Amino acid sequence: MDELVQLTGKPVYLVYRNEQTFYTVMKFKLLDDTEKVITVTGMMPSVETDVVYQLTGHYTEHPRYGMQFAIASYSRPLPDEQEGVIRYLSGIQFPGIGKRTAQKIVNYLGDDCLVKIKEDSSILHSVPDLSENHIRIIEDGLKQEDDGMEELVQFLNVHGIGMRNLIRLNRAYGTEALVKLKENPYRVIDECDGFGFKTADKIAMNLGFQQDDERRLYAYLVSLCMDLCMANGDSWVEDAALETRFEKNTAGIDCDYEQLKNEALMNRRLVQEANRIYPVTQYDAEDTISTFLARFPMEELDPVDDGILQDYLHRLEDDLAITYDEVQVEAINSFFHNPFLIVTGGPGTGKTTVVRAMVSLFRLMYPGTTVYCAAPTGRAAKRLAELTDTPAYTIHSLLKWDLETNTFGVTKEEPLQADLLIIDEFSMVDSWLFSNLLNASEHIKKICIIGDEDQLPSVGPGSVLRDLIDSACFPLIRLNHIYRQKEGSDVIQLAHEIREGNVDFSTLKHDVRFFECPRTDIKDNVLSIVRNALDKGYVLNDIQVLSPMYNGAAGIDVLNNALQQCFNPPSRTKKEYRSGYQIFREGDKILQLKNQPDDDVYNGDIGYLEEIEDASESETHETTLAVNFDGIIVYYTPETVINITLAYCISVHKSQGSEYPIVILPFTSQQTIMLQRKLIYTGITRARQSLILLGEITAFQKGIETLERHPRNTTLKKRLQDRISH
């Protein structure tokens, strides 16, 4: 932790500052591939936001606030052409060329070295101590670049625009990228996936655009509406609330909200209904879902013979040596007599048993038909495949999602070819994703969605499961009877007590424990609990520590660092790779943060870092991290390592759709802003066998008493009711 590290980035905002001592605490955005925002502390006589600083210091762990970067010294380098060339030559297009080598080339050949090398690459041989391998990498990299690309890259680098955006700009505009950027940088928000207002605005400000430029204010209004929806999970924003926030954030700038709003409405970037303002994507999602379900199914299955169905059901009960209860039989019959069915229930209520029966009986009643099973996460899809004996997909992979363009290969024009679609863990599905799934489902004849209505809603806007249920437009089966009485039964009992808002730990004697301790002791107690489990024969893959937040004494960052140091410490036999404040070490437990459909690995998947190959040993001349996800090996380079993090401790949100034999979940009053009943319920229901809670029991109790602070604003329920006759 005492190793000096150099960071380049920009202050985002000041958390605390003492003008007498100059002691500063600030949020600082790194200008690297991660673009991560970290906490920085230290003495700085002057600080300006959105200005590039170079910091030297080391990462520390604050007992209360978690991981921080302590400044030893800092400088404020002025961006210039030379800096842009150095960043370019040490960027992703030239694997194995570091900043020292790039600096050496620029020092020897001058700031215009790129032009010279393009004219005659043999000039590289004159640079002292430049290896033949480096020369070949530079020659190959420049050959691959299109005409005009160097100017664009230098422009992006000089002005601190992340290199990840280079590929997106090149794909969207080709050699015209810089010309189009200079004409109107705000166009990239609509025309180039992955660009938000902040990045476009940064480009515009560097180009000399004025703050009151109408193109800027128009783009900001559209972006603000979407940001407000994303922040709260809403489909729409009240017109007055949007106007108030817009005027507050543009104070001092002469602008006309109504005029800008009307322009956005005319261009259909925003949609207005009464006092509600929707981002067009959210309006269209609700419209698509309600329109589709109002006329579903477009193609029908032959009706079932109830006598044959009951005969098959009895045979299945004999084969499985079980007896379905009255509600389960009702669910199965409803499944066969309705094209669209919702099944909901908590842990241990038999959802798995019912779904298995539905798929088995469907194959018997409709031989030769095609069944698709899907879930939002890779782990949930894998579990669904195991219980139904049917291939299961993540929704993104089923729709052949393209990461770079954020588009789907399976669409209304190229639809799914299947008869039955079953979607599990439906509480995690947002309205935009569900609308795209339905768009591709015109040939589907029957849809069954399964979910737990008491879990956290989707990360993206919308509350689809809630709205489908509350609309009362579709058959709904609620499974309430608890069947799982042995393994993990205390966890199930606790889950149902949390739903009622009344927990009595004295009745939980076997699988659930709450250890009270001050927040300062949480880290050491977590280590002790994990060590004890390992001594009993469990492996790290069986144990999952969850936390609601990244910061704080019981935050994800602190616990990940402590667990790594304890259970996978530095070793001469293990290679390491540093990315920001995080060190990846061979043997580490790894969490996937984003969907990578081409690699068959998805957000929330957990694996192990098997091998780190140094750039000097790699064929690509880049450091490579090989991570094993249940037999699927995925390779990460410095460019893509931002897609993974340590997984000893993960967020409750990231754990959705997964189950673990042992779950450890800390609670402190520092987490109050995040703690609410649905989050705690979701976290504790990830435990399959054993659950250990620890920390401040008052924080836990306050959390389960806290319902949704802000019920999501959606209009899907009303649209369904308006379009579907009862």
Side-chain angles (χ1 to χ4, degrees):
M1 294 295 290
D2 293 327
E3 177 188 353
L4 283 179
V5 178
Q6 195 169 76
L7 304 179
T8 301
K10 293 182 178 182
V12 180
Y13 65 89
L14 297 180
V15 177
Y16 170 82
R17 180 166 171 80
N18 185 317
E19 291 296 345
Q20 279 69 50
T21 65
F22 302 130
Y23 180 74
T24 302
V25 180
M26 64 181 174
K27 292 296 183 180
F28 189 79
K29 185 175 182 178
L30 302 178
L31 290 182
D32 60 11
D33 287 338
T34 70
E35 296 187 358
K36 188 177 178 69
V37 176
I38 64 172
T39 301
V40 166
T41 65
M43 305 296 182
M44 295 185 72
S46 64
V47 185
E48 291 183 51
T49 56
D50 207 34
V51 169
V52 175
Y53 286 86
Q54 200 166 69
L55 310 180
T56 301
H58 58 273
Y59 287 99
T60 64
E61 184 182 313
H62 190 283
R64 183 174 181 184
Y65 298 112
M67 297 298 294
Q68 300 179 341
F69 185 83
I71 303 169
S73 62
Y74 76 96
S75 61
R76 181 175 158 178
L78 294 174
D80 56 21
E81 191 65 19
Q82 183 181 106
E83 181 183 349
V85 176
I86 292 169
R87 285 187 186 168
Y88 172 56
L89 281 173
S90 59
I92 59 175
Q93 307 92 312
F94 303 95
I97 305 295
K99 286 190 175 181
R100 288 184 182 177
T101 302
Q103 180 78 62
K104 181 167 58 177
I105 294 169
V106 174
N107 288 345
Y108 196 80
L109 298 179
D111 293 355
D112 60 346
C113 62
L114 294 174
V115 175
K116 294 177 180 176
I117 297 168
K118 272 230 159 184
E119 289 175 352
D120 180 11
S121 64
S122 66
I123 196 172
L124 288 167
H125 291 279
S126 66
V127 179
D129 301 321
L130 191 64
S131 71
E132 290 295 329
N133 189 38
H134 282 159
I135 291 172
R136 181 179 58 78
I137 291 170
I138 294 168
E139 288 176 337
D140 290 347
L142 288 175
K143 284 176 186 175
Q144 291 171 8
E145 299 292 0
D146 296 324
D147 292 338
M149 185 60 69
E150 298 124 11
E151 189 181 359
L152 172 64
V153 172
Q154 289 176 44
F155 173 81
L156 294 178
N157 279 330
V158 165
H159 298 294
I161 308 298
M163 289 301 293
R164 285 183 291 166
N165 292 320
L166 172 69
I167 299 169
R168 294 166 177 157
L169 286 168
N170 188 37
R171 181 185 292 107
Y173 304 127
T175 58
E176 297 291 307
L178 192 55
V179 173
K180 290 184 180 292
L181 276 178
K182 289 180 176 179
E183 286 175 355
N184 178 14
Y186 298 104
R187 68 190 299 166
V188 299
I189 301 169
D190 293 333
E191 298 174 357
C192 193
D193 190 72
F195 276 83
F197 174 80
K198 287 184 178 179
T199 302
D201 198 42
K202 186 189 292 185
I203 296 171
M205 293 300 100
N206 288 333
L207 287 170
F209 277 62
Q210 299 302 305
Q211 287 200 328
D212 62 355
D213 190 298
E214 282 203 8
R215 292 168 293 182
R216 176 178 188 267
L217 295 168
Y218 169 84
Y220 177 64
L221 177 61
V222 174
S223 172
L224 177 63
C225 185
M226 189 69 223
D227 288 347
L228 292 174
C229 286
M230 288 295 295
N232 296 315
D234 296 332
S235 297
W236 54 269
V237 183
E238 280 191 3
D239 190 4
L242 180 61
E243 182 177 9
T244 299
R245 180 66 71 89
F246 178 79
E247 290 182 346
K248 177 184 177 183
N249 293 355
T250 57
I253 301 174
D254 184 23
C255 57
D256 186 332
Y257 170 79
E258 285 295 329
Q259 179 184 329
L260 293 166
K261 183 188 75 173
N262 289 333
E263 183 182 352
L265 295 175
M266 185 177 66
N267 293 335
R268 211 171 180 275
R269 302 309 304 148
L270 301 177
V271 177
Q272 182 166 11
E273 282 185 342
N275 68 332
R276 302 183 298 271
I277 308 292
Y278 300 76
V280 66
T281 52
Q282 297 310 307
Y283 179 87
D284 286 349
E286 287 195 351
D287 186 64
T288 296
I289 294 168
S290 54
T291 301
F292 180 94
L293 293 179
R295 57 193 182 93
F296 181 77
M298 277 58 87
E299 302 174 20
E300 295 188 8
L301 290 161
D302 294 333
V304 296
D305 183 310
D306 284 335
I308 296 175
L309 176 60
Q310 295 309 311
D311 183 50
Y312 280 140
L313 179 56
H314 293 319
R315 290 187 196 178
L316 185 63
E317 287 178 318
D318 291 340
D319 290 343
L320 299 176
I322 61 173
T323 301
Y324 295 107
D325 73 13
E326 187 177 333
V327 178
Q328 290 175 320
V329 172
E330 181 189 356
I332 293 166
N333 286 328
S334 184
F335 169 75
F336 280 98
H337 289 94
N338 294 283
F340 190 90
L341 176 67
I342 305 168
V343 178
T344 185
T349 56
K351 295 194 300 294
T352 297
T353 306
V354 168
V355 174
R356 185 187 293 123
M358 288 174 175
V359 174
S360 298
L361 294 171
F362 186 86
R363 287 186 174 132
L364 292 170
M365 297 300 296
Y366 298 105
T369 52
T370 303
V371 178
Y372 276 154
C373 292
T377 68
R379 286 204 161 197
K382 184 177 180 181
R383 199 170 69 245
L384 184 60
E386 291 169 352
L387 73 93
T388 60
D389 193 26
T390 301
Y393 309 85
T394 65
I395 298 173
H396 283 84
S397 63
L398 183 65
L399 296 179
K400 297 183 179 177
W401 176 65
D402 184 273
L403 173 66
E404 294 300 332
T405 61
N406 196 29
T407 58
F408 296 101
V410 177
T411 61
K412 191 170 186 176
E413 291 71 34
E414 297 288 337
L416 295 167
Q417 300 295 332
D419 302 282
L420 168 63
L421 174 63
I422 291 180
I423 313 161
D424 198 8
E425 296 286 352
F426 194 79
S427 63
M428 300 173 65
V429 179
D430 62 58
S431 54
W432 179 80
L433 183 58
F434 191 45
S435 68
N436 278 281
L437 180 58
L438 293 184
N439 249 335
S441 297
E442 294 220 346
H443 294 314
I444 303 290
K445 303 175 181 67
K446 188 181 291 293
I447 296 174
C448 179
I449 63 174
I450 303 123
D452 186 343
E453 60 188 314
D454 294 305
Q455 281 194 37
L456 285 168
S458 57
V459 173
S463 198
V464 186
L465 180 58
R466 180 201 69 185
D467 289 346
L468 291 174
I469 292 173
D470 290 352
S471 73
C473 293
F474 310 100
L476 168 68
I477 301 295
R478 277 194 171 94
L479 302 173
N480 293 315
H481 185 76
I482 301 174
Y483 287 92
R484 218 185 302 168
Q485 296 296 339
K486 295 179 181 178
E487 190 177 87
S489 59
D490 274 2
V491 176
I492 295 165
Q493 181 182 333
L494 176 61
H496 288 270
E497 289 181 2
I498 288 173
R499 287 175 58 191
E500 303 300 320
N502 186 21
V503 172
D504 182 2
F505 283 106
S506 67
T507 64
L508 306 173
K509 303 292 186 182
H510 305 290
D511 312 309
V512 175
R513 291 283 188 276
F514 197 116
F515 296 106
E516 283 195 75
C517 65
R519 72 180 66 150
T520 51
D521 292 346
I522 284 177
K523 180 180 71 174
D524 290 339
N525 285 338
V526 167
L527 296 177
S528 178
I529 293 165
V530 173
R531 194 179 292 111
N532 186 48
L534 295 176
D535 289 342
K536 290 181 178 178
Y538 289 98
V539 296
L540 279 176
N541 202 36
D542 297 328
I543 308 161
Q544 189 56 60
V545 183
L546 305 179
S547 181
M549 298 177 66
Y550 279 85
N551 298 325
I556 293 167
D557 289 339
V558 163
L559 293 178
N560 257 329
N561 182 63
L563 288 160
Q564 182 195 45
Q565 288 296 314
C566 186
F567 300 108
N568 191 31
S571 167
R572 291 182 179 179
T573 63
K574 293 183 178 182
K575 292 181 181 176
E576 297 180 353
Y577 176 79
R578 178 183 285 276
S579 177
Y581 69 82
Q582 196 162 77
I583 293 175
F584 292 103
R585 187 174 295 124
E586 289 176 338
D588 274 337
K589 191 176 180 182
I590 298 295
L591 172 70
Q592 179 71 20
L593 297 173
K594 295 183 179 180
N595 292 327
Q596 288 181 214
D598 291 345
D599 296 312
D600 198 23
V601 60
Y602 297 90
N603 185 358
D605 286 352
I606 290 179
Y608 279 89
L609 179 49
E610 283 200 345
E611 183 183 8
I612 298 175
E613 188 174 32
D614 294 333
S616 59
E617 302 168 348
S618 169
E619 290 183 11
T620 61
H621 309 289
E622 290 182 294
T623 300
T624 305
L625 286 69
V627 181
N628 187 334
F629 294 96
D630 292 330
I632 298 171
I633 308 296
V634 181
Y635 297 93
Y636 299 85
T637 64
E639 181 191 1
T640 58
V641 77
I642 57 171
N643 292 347
I644 58 174
T645 188
L646 295 179
Y648 300 102
C649 178
I650 66 175
S651 70
V652 175
H653 283 84
K654 289 292 184 186
S655 73
Q656 269 187 282
S658 300
E659 286 186 343
Y660 315 93
I662 300 174
V663 165
I664 303 169
L665 186 55
F667 294 92
T668 79
S669 56
Q670 282 184 321
Q671 304 164 341
T672 300
I673 193 171
M674 291 292 294
L675 290 179
Q676 57 171 295
R677 184 177 297 177
K678 283 195 172 186
L679 183 136
I680 296 173
Y681 175 90
T682 302
I684 68 108
T685 54
R686 302 308 92 202
R688 192 161 62 239
Q689 295 175 15
S690 181
L691 173 69
I692 298 97
L693 311 175
L694 73 160
E696 301 166 8
I697 198 164
T698 53
F700 170 85
Q701 289 168 337
K702 186 174 181 180
I704 65 170
E705 292 167 4
T706 304
L707 305 180
E708 286 181 281
R709 292 182 173 84
H710 171 77
R712 295 188 169 190
N713 290 325
T714 70
T715 40
L716 178 58
K717 170 186 169 181
K718 184 177 185 303
R719 293 188 201 286
L720 290 166
Q721 291 173 335
D722 289 347
R723 289 178 177 168
I724 299 176
S725 58
H726 294 276

